[in-house]
Amino acid sequence: MNKNDISVRIGFVLLPQFAMGAFAAFADLLGLLDAQTDTAGPCAWEVVADTLIPVRSASGIQVVPTDLLGDPLRFDYVVLVGGPLAPVVEAGPGLVAWLRQAAGGGRHLVGLCNAVYLLARAGLLTGHRLCVGGGQYRDFVDRFPAIAPERIVTDRPTVFDRRRITCAGGAAVIDVAARILRRHLPEADIRRALRCLQFDADGAQGGQIQPPPSGVPADSPPALRRAALVIEQYAGQIPGLGGLADRLGLSPRQLQRLFRQHLDTTPQAYARGVRLRQAAWMLRHTDKTIAAIASDCGFADAAHMGRAFRAGYGMAPGVWRRTHAENTV
Protein backbone atom coordinates (compact mmCIF):
# COMPACT_ATOMS: atom_id res chain seq x y z
CA MET A 1 0.00 0.00 0.00
CA ASN A 2 1.51 3.31 -1.00
CA LYS A 3 0.81 6.63 0.64
CA ASN A 4 -1.96 7.36 -1.84
CA ASP A 5 -3.86 4.33 -0.52
CA ILE A 6 -3.97 5.64 3.04
CA SER A 7 -7.54 6.51 3.99
CA VAL A 8 -6.91 8.81 6.95
CA ARG A 9 -3.89 10.59 8.42
CA ILE A 10 -3.87 11.51 12.09
CA GLY A 11 -1.41 13.62 14.05
CA PHE A 12 -1.41 13.26 17.84
CA VAL A 13 -0.22 16.11 20.06
CA LEU A 14 0.28 15.03 23.66
CA LEU A 15 -0.13 17.82 26.18
CA PRO A 16 1.72 17.85 29.53
CA GLN A 17 0.17 15.42 32.03
CA PHE A 18 -1.96 13.87 29.28
CA ALA A 19 -4.25 10.92 30.01
CA MET A 20 -2.44 7.79 28.87
CA GLY A 21 -5.73 5.87 28.70
CA ALA A 22 -7.22 8.36 26.25
CA PHE A 23 -4.18 8.20 23.97
CA ALA A 24 -3.95 4.41 24.21
CA ALA A 25 -7.65 3.88 23.45
CA PHE A 26 -7.41 5.84 20.20
CA ALA A 27 -4.02 4.41 19.21
CA ASP A 28 -5.05 0.82 19.99
CA LEU A 29 -7.97 1.05 17.60
CA LEU A 30 -5.68 2.39 14.87
CA GLY A 31 -3.16 -0.36 15.53
CA LEU A 32 -5.76 -3.12 15.34
CA LEU A 33 -7.09 -1.77 12.06
CA ASP A 34 -3.56 -1.91 10.66
CA ALA A 35 -3.06 -5.43 12.01
CA GLN A 36 -6.14 -6.65 10.13
CA THR A 37 -4.48 -6.01 6.75
CA ASP A 38 -1.67 -7.95 5.09
CA THR A 39 0.13 -4.77 3.99
CA ALA A 40 0.56 -1.32 5.44
CA GLY A 41 -2.71 -0.39 7.10
CA PRO A 42 -5.29 2.19 6.00
CA CYS A 43 -4.39 4.62 8.79
CA ALA A 44 -1.22 6.68 9.07
CA TRP A 45 -0.56 8.32 12.42
CA GLU A 46 2.28 9.81 14.40
CA VAL A 47 2.95 11.78 17.57
CA VAL A 48 4.26 15.26 16.84
CA ALA A 49 5.55 18.09 19.00
CA ASP A 50 7.67 21.23 18.82
CA THR A 51 10.59 19.25 20.29
CA LEU A 52 11.48 15.57 20.50
CA ILE A 53 11.68 15.69 24.29
CA PRO A 54 9.52 12.94 25.87
CA VAL A 55 6.11 14.07 27.06
CA ARG A 56 5.16 12.92 30.55
CA SER A 57 1.65 11.57 31.09
CA ALA A 58 -0.44 11.95 34.24
CA SER A 59 0.57 8.39 35.17
CA GLY A 60 4.27 9.19 34.85
CA ILE A 61 4.80 7.21 31.63
CA GLN A 62 6.65 9.20 28.99
CA VAL A 63 6.11 9.10 25.24
CA VAL A 64 8.71 10.28 22.73
CA PRO A 65 7.27 12.22 19.77
CA THR A 66 7.99 10.64 16.42
CA ASP A 67 8.35 13.91 14.50
CA LEU A 68 8.35 17.68 14.84
CA LEU A 69 5.17 19.65 14.21
CA GLY A 70 6.06 20.50 10.61
CA ASP A 71 3.22 21.10 8.18
CA PRO A 72 -0.15 20.48 9.89
CA LEU A 73 -1.88 20.11 6.54
CA ARG A 74 -0.30 16.67 6.10
CA PHE A 75 -2.91 15.40 8.58
CA ASP A 76 -6.63 15.01 8.12
CA TYR A 77 -7.19 15.15 11.88
CA VAL A 78 -5.13 16.72 14.64
CA VAL A 79 -5.89 14.98 17.93
CA LEU A 80 -4.90 16.88 21.06
CA VAL A 81 -4.66 14.57 24.05
CA GLY A 82 -5.04 16.41 27.34
CA GLY A 83 -5.24 15.28 30.92
CA PRO A 84 -7.96 14.64 33.50
CA LEU A 85 -7.48 17.90 35.43
CA ALA A 86 -7.69 21.55 34.50
CA PRO A 87 -4.37 22.48 32.84
CA VAL A 88 -1.75 24.31 34.87
CA VAL A 89 0.81 24.94 32.10
CA GLU A 90 -0.30 26.86 29.03
CA ALA A 91 0.79 25.73 25.56
CA GLY A 92 3.40 27.85 23.84
CA PRO A 93 2.63 30.29 21.03
CA GLY A 94 4.22 27.99 18.46
CA LEU A 95 1.69 25.23 19.06
CA VAL A 96 -1.19 27.73 19.10
CA ALA A 97 -0.08 29.13 15.73
CA TRP A 98 0.29 25.58 14.36
CA LEU A 99 -3.26 24.71 15.38
CA ARG A 100 -4.59 27.88 13.79
CA GLN A 101 -2.80 26.94 10.58
CA ALA A 102 -4.40 23.49 10.71
CA ALA A 103 -7.84 25.03 11.23
CA GLY A 104 -7.27 27.52 8.43
CA GLY A 105 -6.45 24.62 6.15
CA GLY A 106 -9.78 22.94 6.91
CA ARG A 107 -8.39 20.18 9.11
CA HIS A 108 -10.45 18.55 11.83
CA LEU A 109 -9.34 19.40 15.36
CA VAL A 110 -10.06 16.91 18.14
CA GLY A 111 -9.70 17.88 21.79
CA LEU A 112 -9.65 15.01 24.30
CA CYS A 113 -9.97 15.63 28.05
CA ASN A 114 -8.68 19.08 29.04
CA ALA A 115 -7.37 19.82 25.52
CA VAL A 116 -10.61 21.78 25.07
CA TYR A 117 -8.87 24.56 27.04
CA LEU A 118 -6.15 24.85 24.42
CA LEU A 119 -8.65 24.96 21.56
CA ALA A 120 -10.57 27.68 23.39
CA ARG A 121 -7.43 29.66 24.14
CA ALA A 122 -6.44 29.50 20.47
CA GLY A 123 -9.85 30.92 19.51
CA LEU A 124 -10.73 27.78 17.55
CA LEU A 125 -14.07 27.04 19.21
CA THR A 126 -15.81 30.31 18.35
CA GLY A 127 -19.33 29.55 17.19
CA HIS A 128 -19.03 25.84 17.99
CA ARG A 129 -20.65 23.64 20.59
CA LEU A 130 -18.10 21.96 22.80
CA CYS A 131 -17.82 19.37 25.54
CA VAL A 132 -16.36 20.11 28.96
CA GLY A 133 -16.06 17.64 31.83
CA GLY A 134 -18.62 18.40 34.51
CA GLY A 135 -15.92 18.77 37.15
CA GLN A 136 -14.10 21.40 35.05
CA TYR A 137 -17.12 23.44 33.98
CA ARG A 138 -16.87 26.23 36.55
CA ASP A 139 -13.13 26.65 36.02
CA PHE A 140 -13.61 26.64 32.24
CA VAL A 141 -16.27 29.35 32.16
CA ASP A 142 -14.21 31.49 34.52
CA ARG A 143 -11.26 31.27 32.12
CA PHE A 144 -13.33 31.76 28.97
CA PRO A 145 -16.27 34.02 29.84
CA ALA A 146 -16.76 34.94 26.17
CA ILE A 147 -17.97 31.41 25.36
CA ALA A 148 -21.74 31.32 25.77
CA PRO A 149 -22.85 28.75 28.39
CA GLU A 150 -25.48 27.36 26.03
CA ARG A 151 -22.70 26.20 23.70
CA ILE A 152 -21.04 24.16 26.46
CA VAL A 153 -22.21 20.58 26.92
CA THR A 154 -21.63 18.82 30.25
CA ASP A 155 -24.32 16.11 30.23
CA ARG A 156 -22.79 14.26 27.27
CA PRO A 157 -19.14 13.12 27.01
CA THR A 158 -18.67 14.01 23.34
CA VAL A 159 -19.63 16.78 20.93
CA PHE A 160 -19.12 16.62 17.16
CA ASP A 161 -19.66 20.07 15.63
CA ARG A 162 -18.46 20.38 12.07
CA ARG A 163 -14.65 20.30 12.12
CA ARG A 164 -14.37 20.48 15.89
CA ILE A 165 -14.66 17.40 18.07
CA THR A 166 -14.38 17.57 21.84
CA CYS A 167 -14.56 14.78 24.38
CA ALA A 168 -14.41 14.75 28.17
CA GLY A 169 -12.32 11.57 28.10
CA GLY A 170 -12.74 8.14 29.63
CA ALA A 171 -14.49 5.37 27.75
CA ALA A 172 -16.00 7.91 25.34
CA VAL A 173 -12.63 8.28 23.59
CA ILE A 174 -13.01 4.92 21.86
CA ASP A 175 -16.40 6.04 20.59
CA VAL A 176 -14.85 9.24 19.23
CA ALA A 177 -12.16 7.24 17.45
CA ALA A 178 -14.70 4.82 15.97
CA ARG A 179 -17.00 7.60 14.78
CA ILE A 180 -14.10 9.36 13.07
CA LEU A 181 -12.79 6.20 11.41
CA ARG A 182 -16.26 5.19 10.23
CA ARG A 183 -16.10 8.19 7.92
CA HIS A 184 -13.16 6.66 6.06
CA LEU A 185 -13.08 2.87 6.54
CA PRO A 186 -15.47 -0.05 6.03
CA GLU A 187 -17.90 -0.65 8.88
CA ALA A 188 -16.97 -4.33 9.03
CA ASP A 189 -13.33 -3.45 9.75
CA ILE A 190 -14.32 -1.04 12.52
CA ARG A 191 -16.63 -3.56 14.15
CA ARG A 192 -14.02 -6.30 14.05
CA ALA A 193 -11.42 -4.08 15.70
CA LEU A 194 -13.89 -2.93 18.36
CA ARG A 195 -14.71 -6.52 19.22
CA CYS A 196 -11.00 -7.23 19.67
CA LEU A 197 -10.91 -4.38 22.18
CA GLN A 198 -13.91 -5.87 24.02
CA PHE A 199 -15.93 -2.81 23.09
CA ASP A 200 -19.59 -3.15 22.17
CA ALA A 201 -19.67 -2.46 18.44
CA ASP A 202 -23.45 -2.17 18.64
CA GLY A 203 -23.37 0.28 21.55
CA ALA A 204 -24.99 3.68 21.41
CA GLN A 205 -23.19 6.17 19.18
CA GLY A 206 -22.81 9.39 21.12
CA GLY A 207 -25.60 8.42 23.53
CA GLN A 208 -23.44 8.15 26.62
CA ILE A 209 -23.71 10.34 29.67
CA GLN A 210 -20.92 11.93 31.65
CA PRO A 211 -20.36 10.66 35.21
CA PRO A 212 -22.93 12.26 37.51
CA PRO A 213 -22.05 14.80 40.22
CA SER A 214 -21.18 13.51 43.66
CA GLY A 215 -24.28 12.53 45.59
CA VAL A 216 -26.03 11.14 42.51
CA PRO A 217 -25.65 7.34 42.27
CA ALA A 218 -23.83 6.18 39.14
CA ASP A 219 -26.52 3.54 38.57
CA SER A 220 -29.41 5.98 38.82
CA PRO A 221 -31.63 6.45 35.74
CA PRO A 222 -29.97 8.28 32.83
CA ALA A 223 -32.61 11.02 32.88
CA LEU A 224 -31.81 11.80 36.52
CA ARG A 225 -28.07 11.88 35.87
CA ARG A 226 -28.56 14.21 32.90
CA ALA A 227 -30.85 16.45 34.96
CA ALA A 228 -28.25 16.72 37.72
CA LEU A 229 -25.52 17.57 35.21
CA VAL A 230 -27.66 20.25 33.55
CA ILE A 231 -28.47 21.78 36.93
CA GLU A 232 -24.77 21.80 37.83
CA GLN A 233 -23.93 23.54 34.57
CA TYR A 234 -26.63 26.21 34.77
CA ALA A 235 -26.42 26.84 38.51
CA GLY A 236 -26.93 30.58 38.07
CA GLN A 237 -29.68 30.34 35.46
CA ILE A 238 -31.32 26.98 35.96
CA PRO A 239 -34.43 26.66 33.78
CA GLY A 240 -37.74 26.24 35.57
CA LEU A 241 -39.06 22.79 36.28
CA GLY A 242 -41.02 22.75 33.02
CA GLY A 243 -38.04 23.87 30.94
CA LEU A 244 -35.75 21.32 32.55
CA ALA A 245 -38.28 18.54 32.00
CA ASP A 246 -38.73 19.53 28.35
CA ARG A 247 -34.99 19.40 27.79
CA LEU A 248 -34.93 15.85 29.11
CA GLY A 249 -38.04 14.70 27.26
CA LEU A 250 -40.02 14.20 30.49
CA SER A 251 -43.07 15.69 32.11
CA PRO A 252 -42.55 17.82 35.24
CA ARG A 253 -44.32 15.13 37.28
CA GLN A 254 -41.94 12.43 36.00
CA LEU A 255 -38.94 14.59 36.82
CA GLN A 256 -40.22 15.29 40.32
CA ARG A 257 -40.77 11.58 40.87
CA LEU A 258 -37.22 10.71 39.74
CA PHE A 259 -35.64 13.11 42.23
CA ARG A 260 -37.94 12.04 45.04
CA GLN A 261 -37.46 8.33 44.43
CA HIS A 262 -33.68 8.28 43.97
CA LEU A 263 -32.40 11.34 45.86
CA ASP A 264 -35.21 11.91 48.37
CA THR A 265 -35.46 15.54 47.36
CA THR A 266 -37.04 17.75 44.70
CA PRO A 267 -35.37 19.26 41.62
CA GLN A 268 -35.83 22.70 43.18
CA ALA A 269 -34.14 21.71 46.45
CA TYR A 270 -31.32 20.00 44.57
CA ALA A 271 -30.80 23.17 42.52
CA ARG A 272 -30.60 25.28 45.69
CA GLY A 273 -27.87 23.00 47.00
CA VAL A 274 -25.97 23.32 43.73
CA ARG A 275 -26.17 27.12 43.91
CA LEU A 276 -24.71 27.04 47.39
CA ARG A 277 -21.87 24.72 46.37
CA GLN A 278 -21.09 26.93 43.40
CA ALA A 279 -21.09 29.99 45.64
CA ALA A 280 -18.71 28.27 48.07
CA TRP A 281 -16.43 27.32 45.18
CA MET A 282 -16.31 30.91 43.94
CA LEU A 283 -15.69 32.28 47.42
CA ARG A 284 -12.74 29.92 47.69
CA HIS A 285 -11.25 30.25 44.21
CA THR A 286 -12.05 33.80 43.06
CA ASP A 287 -11.77 37.32 44.40
CA LYS A 288 -15.22 38.32 43.16
CA THR A 289 -17.39 40.33 45.50
CA ILE A 290 -20.15 38.54 47.35
CA ALA A 291 -22.69 40.54 45.35
CA ALA A 292 -21.14 39.38 42.08
CA ILE A 293 -21.08 35.77 43.27
CA ALA A 294 -24.70 36.01 44.34
CA SER A 295 -25.63 37.22 40.85
CA ASP A 296 -23.55 34.53 39.12
CA CYS A 297 -25.13 31.79 41.23
CA GLY A 298 -28.71 32.85 40.66
CA PHE A 299 -29.53 34.52 43.99
CA ALA A 300 -31.67 37.64 44.00
CA ASP A 301 -28.97 39.65 45.79
CA ALA A 302 -26.19 39.35 48.36
CA ALA A 303 -28.66 39.33 51.24
CA HIS A 304 -30.59 36.43 49.69
CA MET A 305 -27.37 34.46 49.24
CA GLY A 306 -26.29 35.33 52.78
CA ARG A 307 -29.47 33.87 54.29
CA ALA A 308 -29.17 30.70 52.22
CA PHE A 309 -25.46 30.38 52.95
CA ARG A 310 -25.92 30.73 56.70
CA ALA A 311 -28.65 28.10 56.60
CA GLY A 312 -26.43 25.70 54.62
CA TYR A 313 -22.97 26.39 56.06
CA GLY A 314 -23.71 27.87 59.47
CA MET A 315 -21.92 31.15 58.80
CA ALA A 316 -22.07 34.19 56.54
CA PRO A 317 -20.29 34.04 53.16
CA GLY A 318 -17.67 36.60 54.19
CA VAL A 319 -16.86 34.70 57.39
CA TRP A 320 -16.63 31.44 55.47
CA ARG A 321 -14.24 33.01 52.96
CA ARG A 322 -11.97 34.40 55.69
CA THR A 323 -12.05 31.15 57.64
CA HIS A 324 -11.10 29.16 54.60
CA ALA A 325 -8.26 31.56 53.77
CA GLU A 326 -6.92 31.31 57.32
CA ASN A 327 -6.90 27.50 57.07
CA THR A 328 -5.11 27.44 53.72
CA VAL A 329 -1.34 27.05 53.73
Side-chain angles (χ1 to χ4, degrees):
M1 177 179 291
N2 61 49
K3 66 179 183 178
N4 293 324
D5 296 323
I6 294 173
S7 299
V8 59
R9 296 172 174 81
I10 297 174
F12 288 98
V13 177
L14 307 180
L15 304 183
Q17 298 298 306
F18 70 95
M20 178 59 74
F23 172 54
F26 207 126
D28 280 348
L29 182 57
L30 293 170
L32 281 171
L33 286 166
D34 278 0
Q36 290 174 170
T37 62
D38 294 329
T39 58
C43 309
W45 61 275
E46 54 187 314
V47 178
V48 297
D50 51 2
T51 74
L52 297 182
I53 296 173
V55 185
R56 188 180 182 87
S57 70
S59 65
I61 298 173
Q62 300 185 71
V63 175
V64 180
T66 55
D67 199 359
L68 297 175
L69 291 176
D71 180 8
L73 303 187
R74 69 188 190 275
F75 302 118
D76 302 302
Y77 295 83
V78 171
V79 180
L80 303 167
V81 186
L85 303 176
V88 177
V89 179
E90 297 284 2
L95 177 56
V96 171
W98 188 81
L99 291 172
R100 289 172 177 163
Q101 184 183 353
R107 299 311 187 251
H108 292 79
L109 302 182
V110 183
L112 305 181
C113 308
N114 69 17
V116 66
Y117 283 78
L118 175 53
L119 292 175
R121 182 190 163 216
L124 299 173
L125 294 176
T126 302
H128 291 79
R129 295 175 69 247
L130 58 134
C131 177
V132 174
Q136 298 172 356
Y137 173 76
R138 179 52 54 187
D139 178 75
F140 185 86
V141 297
D142 283 346
R143 295 198 199 194
F144 305 104
I147 296 180
E150 58 269 21
R151 292 193 177 275
I152 302 173
V153 174
T154 61
D155 59 329
R156 301 287 185 182
T158 303
V159 171
F160 280 64
D161 188 353
R162 290 160 289 169
R163 296 182 185 272
R164 302 292 181 271
I165 303 167
T166 47
C167 172
V173 172
I174 196 70
D175 184 55
V176 169
R179 289 177 65 182
I180 288 173
L181 295 171
R182 280 188 169 98
R183 298 172 171 178
H184 306 278
L185 304 174
E187 174 67 19
D189 291 349
I190 302 293
R191 294 172 68 86
R192 187 160 54 248
L194 289 173
R195 284 195 295 270
C196 288
L197 291 172
Q198 302 298 306
F199 184 80
D200 181 9
D202 295 314
Q205 299 298 313
Q208 303 170 8
I209 300 171
Q210 285 199 34
S214 59
V216 178
D219 60 352
S220 56
L224 177 65
R225 285 180 278 147
R226 283 195 65 204
L229 286 164
V230 171
I231 290 173
E232 291 274 347
Q233 177 179 353
Y234 292 100
Q237 45 186 323
I238 298 170
L241 180 64
L244 181 60
D246 285 345
R247 176 169 180 153
L248 300 169
L250 302 173
S251 70
R253 184 182 296 275
Q254 288 173 315
L255 186 59
Q256 292 269 23
R257 188 162 52 245
L258 276 174
F259 273 84
R260 181 64 69 187
Q261 179 179 349
H262 296 277
L263 299 181
D264 194 27
T265 188
T266 65
Q268 297 91 332
Y270 183 86
R272 284 194 295 272
V274 169
R275 288 191 179 102
L276 283 177
R277 291 197 300 274
Q278 296 279 12
W281 188 95
M282 295 180 76
L283 287 167
R284 177 182 177 184
H285 293 284
T286 76
D287 59 0
K288 289 185 177 182
T289 66
I290 292 174
I293 292 173
S295 176
D296 287 347
C297 294
F299 294 98
D301 51 33
H304 179 207
M305 184 179 110
R307 291 192 296 273
F309 206 89
R310 282 190 290 271
Y313 288 86
M315 62 182 74
V319 175
W320 189 91
R321 173 179 260 174
R322 289 193 298 273
T323 301
H324 178 83
E326 290 168 1
N327 291 336
T328 301
V329 179

